[in-house]
Each structure stands twice: as C-alpha cells, then as structure tokens.
Amino acid sequence: MTEPAEPTPAPTPRADPFPVTVIGEALIDLVPHGDPGGFRAQPGGSPFNVAIGLARLGHRTSLMARLADNAFGRILRAHATAEGIDLTCAPHAPEPTTLAVVSMDADAQASYDFYFNGTADWQWTAAEAALVPADTAILHFGSLASWTPPGDEHIHAAVREMRQRGRTLISYDPNVRPVLLRDPARAREAVERGVGAAHLVKASREDVEWLYPAADIEQVGARWLELGALLVVITDGPHGAHTFQADAARMSRPGRKAAVADTVGAGDAFTSALLGALLRHGLHTPELLARSSPAVLAAAVDDAILVSALTCERVGADPPIALPRPDVSAGAPLAETDLRFSDQPPG
C-alpha cells in the first residue's frame, strides 16, 4: 500500500539578496514502509532535494522542475510550496511523474529501480528551460535530467547561456546512476559535458570510480579542472570530502560519526549545505569562488559534511532546518545546535 508523505512546515524565510535556482527532476521515491510490500510515497529526486535543503537553510530558492498534473505531481508541488520554494518557473506537465522504487541493503545504503519512460522530467522544451530567473546568483543542475534525452539538450543550452553571461555561479552534480547510464564510456561523455559548463562540480567517490575505473580521484579532479571547473569536491562517505582547485594542493576534510538510518538524500544535503555556505561566505560569483581561500573552503565543506551526516541519521531525504543566529556572523561555521529537524520545535 502506498501512502503519501506529509509536507513539512515551511522554515522561517530569510532576506537573502542572492537567490538560488535549481533545475532538474522532481520525482517520487517509493520507500519501504510498514509491512513487506508496503511503500511510502516520498518526494525526491536530487535537484528537488537540493532545493529543499537550500530553503531549509534559509536561502531564497527557485525550483525549475516539470511537475505532473497528477496525484504524485500534486504531492511534489505541495511539499515544495510548504518549504517556501518558488515554483513560478516549474511547468505544469501533462506527462506522468517519474517513480523510483528504493531498496536498502544491510548497511542502509540505498539503491533505486526507476520507472521513467515518457515521464515529465525529461520533456523539457527550449522555452521552459530558458525561464531561469534573471537575478539568479547560483544555478544548480545535474542528476538524471542533465543526461536524459530529449530534455537534457534544453537544460544544457540554458546553463551554457547563464555561464556565458558570467555573473551566475554554475553548480553541477552528475549524481551517477549506473542502472540508467549503463556504459561508463558513454556516461563519461555526458558527465564531462556538464562539468565543462560548471564552475563548481560535486560528485561522490562512487560516481568517479564507476565513471573512471582506471583513474584515482586526483586524476579525475585534475581532468575536471582542465574541462573548466574552478572547484571540484568529491565526497567520500564517512571519510569526509576532498577538494581540488587549479594551482592548489588537494585538501581533505574529515567525516563525522553518524548513527546511519539510511543514506537517502545525503549527497543532496551535502550539496545544498555547500552552496549555502558559499553564499554565507560571499562566494556567489565565479570570480569570487576562484579567489576563495583554503580556510574558507574548508569551513564550507565542513558545514556540508555536518548537514549530510545529520541527514543520514534520519529516514529518507529529511535535511535539517537552520535556526536564526543573530549573534554570530553569517560566515561562522555551523554547529549541530544551529540546526533542527521538521518534527522538532524551533529553539
């Protein structure tokens, strides 16, 4: 039996002069729930999760996702609205919602079976994809929609246009799914197209090891910098994350211990917290990111590791909400006491 998840209350909005836009898929995760064969319908999709995470951290966020006019699409729209996300540029799609059936292994690692043929997320038109808000400070894209035809061409055209303007920081997460990409050689071509359009690239060690089986992460980081990225961040599960910049040594940040409930949405929580930290540190343009100091980047990655670890302690993609911090500077590192979850009272 499938039952819908309840939307969470919207976090307190924050006056944010640097809005973020996320473009990509918004799908339904069918997560095991209750008796064997029972599932809970949970809003998901990497871009959708990143938008939720950003909004919960207090950032003005727009989501560009093709949301179906069906029961699942209405669940997605209701959740995003409840989180305070701007859906002005999220088309009402006539196609059905994409479904991902989630399985957990003994270590609470998630895997997915997708039902996506002819669904809403891949049918972007040029007109729909071109509606990126003009005041966008950071544009994040990636995941299935960035490499699934026919809509991927229109998403990349919009991203390339924003990069050429030179004012918007472009973020990319390939969010590799081998069950869909199948062939690493063809997948590398698709992913490197996204890398070449981005200033910031975040991926997991699992992603890069599948894409580049004969290379180590240092070689992959160097390759992606050559393609045009300014900063590459490779997450490493409980071991933390590694950053790569041109003319700088690799930097590694340690992981945090977590009582893992599951890993659903952990990488997306990392991405949203990393982007949020860059915004709080004022690194909202390509030029500013290129000139960022190792100390500031270390602090930003540490924030992302904290938020990701806390998300792993929750069932499903349920990132934390930022509490007001009136007595500290915007760039101060996050502490666990600065965060709460949707089922916890503020303060």
Side-chain angles (χ1 to χ4, degrees):
M1 179 177 181
T2 301
E3 59 180 63
E6 293 296 325
T8 58
T12 302
R14 178 182 299 170
D16 192 340
F18 304 116
V20 185
T21 299
V22 180
I23 184 169
E25 70 268 14
L27 51 81
I28 290 291
D29 289 332
L30 296 179
V31 182
H33 180 74
D35 296 333
F39 293 90
R40 180 177 177 85
Q42 183 73 37
S46 177
F48 185 91
N49 292 340
V50 170
I52 295 291
L54 282 161
R56 290 188 177 187
L57 292 172
H59 300 285
R60 185 154 54 101
T61 307
S62 296
L63 175 65
M64 295 178 65
R66 303 186 82 255
L67 302 178
D69 281 324
N70 61 12
F72 285 141
R74 287 188 286 275
I75 290 172
L76 290 163
R77 205 171 276 276
H79 269 261
T81 300
E83 299 284 356
I85 293 172
D86 183 356
L87 295 178
T88 302
C89 300
H92 289 262
E95 302 86 5
T97 303
T98 307
L99 302 179
V101 180
V102 183
S103 302
M104 299 291 178
D105 66 15
D107 297 320
Q109 298 291 317
S111 60
Y112 302 84
D113 292 312
F114 292 94
Y115 295 83
F116 75 112
N117 287 333
T119 53
D121 296 289
W122 333 122
Q123 315 307 320
W124 288 90
T125 67
E128 290 170 346
L131 293 176
V132 180
D135 64 344
T136 296
I138 295 180
L139 175 62
H140 176 75
F141 78 112
S143 196
L144 282 63
S146 71
W147 39 258
T148 301
D152 58 336
E153 293 295 335
H154 299 305
I155 289 176
H156 278 272
V159 169
R160 288 193 300 270
E161 171 65 21
M162 296 299 287
R163 173 147 182 166
Q164 288 170 3
R165 293 181 187 180
R167 300 186 302 271
T168 300
L169 184 67
I170 309 297
S171 166
Y172 175 60
D173 177 2
N175 193 37
V176 170
R177 292 289 180 256
V179 68
L180 299 178
L181 287 166
R182 298 182 183 277
D183 175 28
R186 292 182 60 188
R188 281 196 299 274
E189 181 178 352
V191 167
E192 289 188 351
R193 178 176 65 160
V195 171
H199 304 107
L200 165 63
V201 181
K202 172 262 173 188
S204 69
R205 179 182 281 274
E206 291 82 3
D207 290 342
V208 300
E209 288 182 346
W210 185 81
L211 287 167
Y212 301 89
D216 57 33
I217 63 171
E218 286 83 359
Q219 292 170 311
V220 174
R223 168 67 177 165
W224 287 358
L225 292 173
E226 290 173 356
L227 290 172
L230 301 176
L231 174 65
V232 174
V233 181
I234 298 179
T235 60
D236 203 2
H239 304 296
H242 315 281
T243 68
F244 303 88
Q245 283 182 292
D247 302 320
R250 162 182 163 177
M251 179 173 63
S252 297
R253 303 302 299 168
R256 294 178 62 97
K257 290 184 178 180
V260 177
D262 66 42
T263 59
V264 176
D268 304 323
F270 183 100
T271 298
S272 60
L274 178 63
L275 297 179
L278 294 179
L279 284 170
R280 288 191 291 105
H281 284 283
L283 303 179
H284 55 274
T285 69
E287 180 183 3
L288 290 170
L289 180 65
R291 294 192 283 109
S292 58
S293 70
V296 168
L297 287 181
V301 172
D302 287 349
D303 282 358
I305 290 170
L306 169 64
V307 171
S308 179
L310 293 176
T311 302
C312 285
E313 296 184 345
R314 311 281 291 187
V315 174
D318 184 16
I321 299 169
L323 295 167
R325 301 194 302 170
D327 299 325
V328 300
S329 67
L334 289 177
E336 191 168 345
T337 53
D338 295 322
L339 304 165
R340 69 175 179 90
F341 285 92
S342 57
D343 56 359
Q344 297 171 336

